[in-house]
Amino acid sequence: QVHLVESGGGLAQAGGSLRLSCAASRNVFSINAMAWYRQAPGKQRELVARIISGGSTNYADSVKGRFTISRDNAKNTVYLQLNSLKPEDTAVYYCYAQYALSEYWGQGTQVTVSS
């Protein structure tokens, strides 16, 4: 099993930055894929960024060039750096892990961007 704990959300102004952290209960290098999703009020949960065990990453078109996903194997942590924030980035951000044919989710962290 994989236990995920997010942190780092909060309030930011448009154009500002935040960094989200997702601490995993096992080595992130051993996890098939980790990702960040987000869900805004009244909308479906959507993929924001993903990193697979080999290190490849992919991003939603809406965040390319602004957000960066990375991992620290020594700290068992995956990060999401959010730059050039926009009000439409406001959402609850969830950490996700795919491991051994199972899926795991964190509890979510709120990101609010004011205009």
Side-chain angles (χ1 to χ4, degrees):
Q1 288 199 352
V2 182
H3 184 56
L4 304 170
V5 179
E6 301 105 331
S7 61
L11 177 64
Q13 290 187 333
S17 299
L18 287 172
R19 188 176 78 158
L20 307 183
S21 300
C22 174
S25 60
R26 67 183 308 124
N27 192 297
V28 295
F29 183 76
S30 69
I31 297 173
N32 304 86
M34 294 193 70
W36 288 94
Y37 284 74
R38 68 185 180 187
Q39 188 166 20
K43 295 188 176 181
Q44 289 189 329
R45 192 172 296 189
E46 62 174 357
L47 175 67
V48 176
R50 183 177 64 174
I51 184 167
I52 63 173
S53 58
S56 298
T57 59
N58 61 281
Y59 297 89
D61 288 343
S62 59
V63 307
K64 281 181 182 176
R66 300 189 299 121
F67 292 6
T68 303
I69 190 170
S70 63
R71 70 186 181 199
D72 186 330
N73 296 334
K75 295 183 178 180
N76 295 341
T77 299
V78 170
Y79 302 98
L80 185 68
Q81 179 68 40
L82 294 70
N83 296 330
S84 302
L85 282 163
K86 304 176 180 179
E88 51 263 43
D89 295 320
T90 295
V92 178
Y93 284 70
Y94 296 92
C95 185
Y96 164 93
Q98 183 185 37
Y99 177 75
L101 302 180
S102 295
E103 298 180 327
Y104 302 90
W105 294 90
Q107 81 285 356
T109 185
Q110 176 71 45
V111 171
T112 303
V113 183
S114 62
S115 58

